Amino acid sequence: MKKRILAIVLAVCMASMVFAGCGSEPAAAPAPADTPASADAAPAPAEPAAKPANDKLVVGFAQIGQESGWRDAETQSIQFYAGQNIDTIDLKFADAQQKQENQIKAIKSFIDMGVDVIGLAPVVETGWDAVFTEAKEAGIPIVLVDRKADVPEDLYATFIGSDFIKEGNDGADEMARLLDNKGKIVELEGTVGASAANDRKKGFDDQIAAKYPDIEILASQTGDFTRAKGKEVMESFLKTYGSEIQGVFAHNDDMMLGAIEAIKEAGLKPGVDIKTVSCDGVKGIFEAMATGEANVTVECNPLLGPQFFETCAKLKAGETVEKWIKSEEGVYRAETAAEDLPNRVY
């Protein structure tokens, strides 16, 4: 009889040790020797392990590259926000160096890592269906930042950015104001196939055709969103059309800053002999406006880091977000540039 009681006590002790190793609670004290064990009593189910309190939002971001001051400001906004919230955000960042194939490789790498959300500014609009489908099948939402992609809407969660067509419309209205609704102009386009270039061109050209029939676009050519290329193309325009050119519209400020150099080297006064309208709102163009060498910039806000990560957190939590999250922007003219300049942070 004593041997039987001892066996029961040992069994209870061993069971307690086994169940203590599976649950998150401390082990219960073994039953006293004089407490009989119930033969049919089942152990209580173990509580599920609590999610670690420091579980981070893991985000992969594939940036286009370093094409302009505007792009650098966007990169800095994203990296700065992640750095300021390092306890809750883990950012995996890739610089694609203006190549779509590099962005696609980065996205595939993010999928393999199992990140929570993938963000990117697509270098061009087309060619994303396959890799976006891979992300969708992996259950990873995609956030488009500042540029759109020509894919079915179910392949991405949201687009955060500007209304590029409206920016083109605003640019056309400002050019018409500067030229009293008549004159001859040239256009510096952005990267071929980029949504910002496509939509700004459509917005500008359509608005000119619809509202300002006495304004003629003499030529339109890509400057690839870079200052060097903008200068090169403007030099070509000046050699071909010379003093006929009364205005230039550029799809971004960096190309315009290059064009301003070309205009000055040709012996003309930018902002006076040739009126200028461009997009983005970088500090360099405000400096040019303050000195009278540029006329107008249509803002495109690159400081999207807070909006981007707030959206990513909502997506990870399973919340619904708007399909287009618009950024707040304005139109700035030379008349107020000196006053505005101290407030520009990019």
Side-chain angles (χ1 to χ4, degrees), residues 41-256:
E47 298 252 345
K51 197 171 187 179
N54 64 347
D55 185 43
K56 292 185 178 182
L57 169 65
V58 183
V59 177
F61 191 85
Q63 181 59 284
I64 291 171
Q66 298 177 317
E67 65 192 0
S68 64
W70 189 97
R71 183 65 53 194
D72 292 342
E74 181 184 77
T75 295
Q76 290 163 11
S77 176
I78 289 170
Q79 292 180 330
F80 179 79
Y81 189 92
Q84 291 294 102
N85 295 276
I86 197 167
D87 291 339
T88 57
I89 295 173
D90 182 5
L91 173 64
K92 312 293 185 183
F93 188 89
D95 182 336
Q97 300 179 330
Q98 280 77 38
K99 295 180 180 180
Q100 184 181 32
E101 58 266 34
N102 289 344
Q103 283 192 308
I104 290 174
K105 287 177 184 176
I107 293 169
K108 288 177 176 288
S109 174
F110 296 151
I111 293 170
D112 290 341
M113 291 178 195
V115 301
D116 297 314
V117 183
I118 292 173
L120 77 153
V123 64
V124 295
E125 280 193 295
T126 59
W128 302 104
D129 296 71
V131 72
F132 280 22
T133 298
E134 286 183 38
K136 181 180 179 181
E137 290 173 349
I140 303 173
I142 285 180
V143 176
L144 303 176
V145 180
D146 91 70
R147 291 190 184 182
K148 296 178 181 178
D150 185 11
V151 296
E153 287 197 349
D154 66 328
L155 290 185
Y156 68 96
T158 186
F159 165 66
I160 302 174
S162 308
D163 186 337
F164 298 133
I165 289 179
K166 184 179 184 302
E167 289 175 359
N169 291 162
D170 290 343
D173 292 339
E174 290 297 313
M175 182 62 75
R177 179 184 63 82
L178 291 167
L179 297 179
D180 293 326
N181 297 333
K182 60 182 182 296
K184 296 181 179 181
I185 64 174
V186 292
E187 183 175 358
L188 292 168
E189 301 176 27
T191 303
V192 174
S195 61
N198 293 343
D199 288 354
R200 284 173 183 164
K201 180 172 179 59
K202 176 175 175 56
F204 184 83
D205 292 3
D206 288 356
Q207 189 85 332
I208 292 291
K211 294 180 66 176
Y212 310 109
D214 294 328
I215 294 179
E216 179 186 354
I217 301 175
L218 294 170
S220 183
Q221 185 176 327
T222 179
D224 208 26
F225 282 132
T226 67
R227 187 177 303 201
K229 190 70 174 178
K231 180 181 180 182
E232 178 186 320
V233 175
M234 192 66 200
E235 287 172 340
S236 176
F237 286 160
L238 287 165
K239 287 178 182 177
T240 303
Y241 300 103
S243 59
E244 282 189 83
I245 302 172
Q246 295 169 275
V248 54
F249 173 62
H251 291 186
N252 81 338
D253 293 332
D254 277 72
M255 288 191 295
M256 183 61 78

Side-chain angles (χ1 to χ4, degrees), residues 321-334:
V321 299
E322 294 180 7
K323 204 66 181 178
W324 184 356
I325 301 171
K326 295 185 180 181
S327 45
E328 296 182 4
E329 297 157 345
V331 174
Y332 293 87
R333 298 172 177 172

